[in-house]
Amino acid sequence: MKNRIIAVHLLNDRSGSPLIMRQALEVLQEHNEVILYTATPSGDGFLSKIKNVQERALFYKWHNNKLVTLFYFLAAQLSLFMQLIMVLKKDDTLYINTLLPFGAAFAGALKRSKIVYHVHETSLKPAFLKSFLFQVANRSASEVIFVSNYVAGHYHFTKPRTEVIYNCLPDSFIKKTENISRLNLKHPFTVTMLCSLKEYKGIYH
């Protein structure tokens, strides 16, 4: 019997954190039953249509008006909590991508499920929100995964076990670069860095 993983990511778009989560889910679905809760306001994102991953829709989107965005954010947390409190079991693993989905953590804690956070960000604002989300994760999580030592250094978790797992590119991307290299023999393709040159990306300059 397969273990069940309930995965949560607030906004499914074409940014970095859902791309990394997609890679994780593609591996996890090989030996586990995976159910993903996410919002896809654009109709498509990196978390869309992952093989053998069951999708459950949330409503959430970004708005130019901060108060409207806050309303959407809080409504999404309530929706997450209400949905997960009905389906989570003690034997489930709740995989929460980024610190934002605190409603999922509340449900997981009440159901006494194993909670694993995947933390990508350091620049959450305002400060009181970042502090609140940190406290929720610190009290509820069994394990916290950081994408770099730089990100890990910005948090001081006391309860959960922590570890750093660096982001990587999928094999499909590597194969595409090999094809490009073969076509350009005079200047063969060697290295690409798909990020901005910032310290929190691990690039010191």
Side-chain angles (χ1 to χ4, degrees):
M1 184 175 179
K2 290 186 175 182
N3 295 323
R4 195 167 75 151
I5 296 175
I6 308 297
V8 178
H9 180 76
L10 204 55
L11 184 63
N12 175 25
D13 56 14
R14 293 284 177 178
S15 60
S17 57
L19 174 61
I20 299 305
M21 189 184 199
R22 181 187 181 95
Q23 293 174 239
L25 296 183
E26 286 175 336
V27 174
L28 290 170
Q29 62 82 25
E30 294 177 0
H31 302 288
N32 303 275
E33 178 187 358
V34 180
I35 303 173
L36 170 65
Y37 288 79
T38 191
T40 314
S42 65
D44 187 42
F46 283 129
L47 293 172
S48 301
K49 300 176 183 177
I50 305 175
K51 180 183 177 181
N52 295 330
V53 172
Q54 305 170 50
E55 295 182 39
R56 300 288 185 273
L58 294 174
F59 177 79
Y60 175 71
K61 62 181 180 179
W62 184 86
H63 195 277
N64 289 328
N65 187 307
K66 291 183 179 180
L67 289 177
V68 175
T69 300
L70 177 61
F71 173 78
Y72 288 155
F73 176 70
L74 295 177
Q77 305 309 316
L78 179 60
S79 175
L80 264 175
F81 178 82
M82 296 301 293
Q83 291 188 63
L84 293 181
I85 203 70
M86 301 296 293
V87 301
L88 274 174
K89 300 176 182 177
K90 186 178 179 180
D91 293 337
D92 292 337
T93 296
L94 181 59
Y95 171 28
I96 301 177
N97 200 42
T98 80
L99 290 172
L100 293 173
F102 70 86
F106 284 170
L110 285 175
K111 288 292 190 172
R112 301 181 67 184
S113 305
K114 178 182 179 181
I115 299 175
V116 178
Y117 268 86
H118 201 159
V119 180
H120 306 253
E121 67 280 286
T122 63
S123 56
L124 284 170
K125 293 179 181 179
F128 77 86
L129 176 62
K130 181 178 181 179
S131 176
F132 169 74
L133 295 174
F134 166 78
Q135 291 298 333
V136 172
N138 191 44
R139 292 172 182 271
S140 64
S142 302
E143 183 177 348
V144 177
I145 299 169
F146 297 105
V147 298
S148 71
N149 287 314
Y150 182 90
V151 174
H154 277 72
Y155 298 94
H156 302 284
F157 286 95
T158 58
K159 179 180 175 290
R161 182 170 70 91
T162 62
E163 61 181 313
V164 174
I165 299 179
Y166 294 105
N167 295 340
C168 62
L169 294 169
D171 290 341
S172 58
F173 183 89
I174 302 301
K175 290 177 181 177
K176 288 179 181 178
T177 63
E178 290 174 349
N179 291 334
I180 294 172
S181 181
R182 282 193 288 269
L183 293 173
N184 189 1
L185 298 178
K186 185 176 181 181
H187 301 288
F189 181 88
T190 54
V191 174
T192 186
M193 185 67 188
L194 300 181
C195 74
S196 51
L197 302 180
K198 306 230 174 157
E199 289 185 3
Y200 70 86
K201 297 290 187 181
I203 306 298
Y204 298 90
H205 59 91

